[in-house]
Amino acid sequence: MNDFPRCWVEIDIRAFEQNLNRVRELTPSANVMAVIKADAYGHGMMLAAKQLETADEFAVTSIEDVEKLHACGVDKPLTLLSSTFDKAALEYFSQQSIRPVIYDYEQLAVVSELSAGAELDLWVKVDTGMGRLGFDADELLMVCKRLQSSEGVGSISLMTHLANADVPTDARNERQISAFRSLIFSANENGIFFKQVSMLNSAGVVGLHHAAFDIVRPGVMLYGISPTVGVSAQKLGLKPVMSLKSKVISVRRMAAGSSIGYGGTYTLDADSRIAYIACGYGDGYPRHAPNGTTVSVNGFLVPLVGRVSMDMIAVDIGELPVQVGDIAVLWGEENPIEEIALSAGTIAYELTCGVTRRVKRRIVGENGT
Ligand SMILES: *Cc1c(COP(=O)(O)O)cnc(C)c1O
């Protein structure tokens, strides 16, 4: 009955291993904390956890994610990147070897309530220029001293996050890196030693691997998406995990002067053929994709014309051999998601996270399929 879905994503599970191998090649001395938050950027958290089982650790952002991973038997060290918690949650973390990230004084107060023997391993996050979560650089020493004297604390690790790593030549990256290095140095001078130190996201792994420290935190590149502005995934040796696919549901010959879709934002200047594809913003295709955004239909790259509707888009196929039932690749290896995102004024992260629930998932790459 449902062999003919209107729109689906394909998840190529073989790509995970290739992408993780690229991380290992780029930062060979560092361990890898695979970031699988946001349902693995829309790819499916449990599936990603299974395919990335050779990663050293995983990072998520909610206790619900932790519980799901544990329920499925994942026993790797887990880091909770950005979450509030109470004392009971911390006790659970310490029993389960889950490391929370401590980034403010409210969390610090809860940590200090822990009794001796809890041996909670945790991360401290310091803000070296991201302007998001974290302690100020000049607070770090005092915070670490407080943690070190809290009886429930086991080990302390240190992380920071880069704000501009997607442009590796941006001078602010080296400023963050040297600020981070001097913080580590002065902590060590003051008798504070970190179990692990971590700085790099995917873009850092690609462009700033001299700052790999003990463990890197790639997310997007594990899904085969380029983290670096203006550099393709293919060039970086990454293979896209997700493709968004659909089918042609109608082909019409239209006369010059016809306008296409809501608002009539595109008018044909010559007679042509228009193919309608069953994928729209109701599936997660970006509504702001303009005329000219590339769609691959039956292997041909053709331009989107007219506004994106909830359930369909239109493309100008001219006299190309395209007919009803042909497959369209909205994004995937033959039609890179980075370019679709650029065209629509967004980033690939938002596109994969935004695939909606009605879109069916097909796993490819299992048993050679
Ligand atoms: C999401 C996130 C990452 C991963 O970032 P990518 O750009 O997807 O590699 C790493 N560290 C932190 C703190 C994050 O929030």
Side-chain angles (χ1 to χ4, degrees), residues 35 37 41 61 81-82 125 132 159-161 199-203 217-221 223 227 349:
V35 179
K37 65 191 180 191
Y41 296 38
T61 47
L81 288 174
S82 51
K125 189 164 197 172
R132 205 171 62 177
M159 73 162 70
T160 194
H161 197 48
M199 181 166 214
L200 301 184
N201 56 3
S202 298
R217 310 188 304 273
V220 80
M221 71 185 292
Y223 309 106
Y349 300 69

Side-chain angles (χ1 to χ4, degrees), residues 24-45:
R24 299 269 189 213
E25 285 166 17
L26 288 160
T27 50
S29 62
N31 278 3
V32 177
M33 178 191 289
V35 179
I36 55 173
K37 65 191 180 191
D39 200 27
Y41 296 38
H43 293 72
M45 182 179 69

Side-chain angles (χ1 to χ4, degrees), residues 48 72 252 333 355:
C72 293
R252 284 180 72 192
E333 205 158 11
V355 173

Side-chain angles (χ1 to χ4, degrees), residues 10-24 32 34-36 39-55 58 218-225 237-242 361-365:
E10 287 180 4
I11 304 291
D12 183 349
I13 57 175
R14 292 160 303 192
F16 281 111
E17 193 187 357
Q18 176 176 335
N19 299 330
L20 180 57
N21 287 342
R22 282 301 289 146
V23 176
R24 299 269 189 213
V32 177
V35 179
I36 55 173
D39 200 27
Y41 296 38
H43 293 72
M45 182 179 69
M46 295 318 310
L47 184 75
K50 184 162 172 253
Q51 298 307 321
L52 294 168
E53 66 186 356
T54 60
F58 288 133
V220 80
M221 71 185 292
L222 296 173
Y223 309 106
I225 296 168
L238 301 172
K239 187 174 170 62
V241 173
M242 180 194 286
R361 263 145 218 286
R362 251 192 83 208
I363 311 301
V364 298

Side-chain angles (χ1 to χ4, degrees), residues 134-349:
F135 292 99
D136 290 346
D138 60 7
E139 299 172 316
L140 182 66
L141 207 52
M142 188 262 292
V143 167
C144 290
K145 282 185 174 157
R146 256 180 77 178
L147 286 168
Q148 219 172 29
S149 61
S150 299
E151 35 182 25
V153 173
S155 69
I156 304 173
S157 295
L158 182 69
M159 73 162 70
T160 194
H161 197 48
L162 289 160
N164 303 286
D166 57 334
V167 181
T169 53
D170 191 309
R172 289 171 290 187
N173 292 317
E174 293 306 329
R175 257 181 263 154
Q176 279 195 261
I177 293 168
S178 61
F180 195 47
R181 283 195 201 285
S182 53
L183 285 171
I184 297 161
F185 181 78
S186 89
N188 293 348
E189 292 279 283
N190 283 273
I192 291 154
F193 297 93
F194 301 110
K195 181 178 174 209
Q196 283 180 314
V197 169
S198 176
M199 181 166 214
L200 301 184
N201 56 3
S202 298
V205 167
V206 168
L208 303 162
H209 31 234
H210 56 287
F213 297 100
D214 301 312
I215 185 161
V216 294
R217 310 188 304 273
V220 80
M221 71 185 292
L222 296 173
Y223 309 106
I225 296 168
S226 168
T228 309
V229 172
V231 183
S232 70
Q234 192 189 15
K235 185 142 187 244
L236 296 173
L238 301 172
K239 187 174 170 62
V241 173
M242 180 194 286
S243 306
L244 178 63
K245 297 191 177 181
S246 180
K247 283 183 175 167
V248 174
I249 55 169
S250 182
V251 174
R252 284 180 72 192
R253 193 168 283 282
M254 308 277 274
S258 308
S259 41
I260 310 293
Y262 288 116
T265 58
Y266 185 83
T267 303
L268 292 182
D269 52 19
D271 293 0
S272 194
R273 286 160 70 241
I274 303 295
Y276 298 88
I277 295 162
C279 179
Y281 65 81
D283 304 292
Y285 191 81
R287 204 189 74 90
H288 291 104
N291 289 323
T293 302
T294 304
V295 178
S296 171
V297 183
N298 193 20
F300 302 106
L301 297 178
V302 294
L304 178 80
V305 290
R307 279 199 194 140
V308 173
S309 299
M310 184 183 288
D311 300 308
M312 71 187 93
I313 56 171
V315 293
D316 188 339
I317 54 172
E319 298 308 320
L320 291 169
V322 168
Q323 58 185 23
V324 169
D326 283 352
I327 291 183
V329 180
L330 289 313
W331 62 68
E333 205 158 11
E334 64 193 86
N335 186 21
I337 191 169
E338 297 85 351
E339 285 172 32
I340 307 303
L342 188 67
S343 173
T346 183
I347 52 175
Y349 300 69

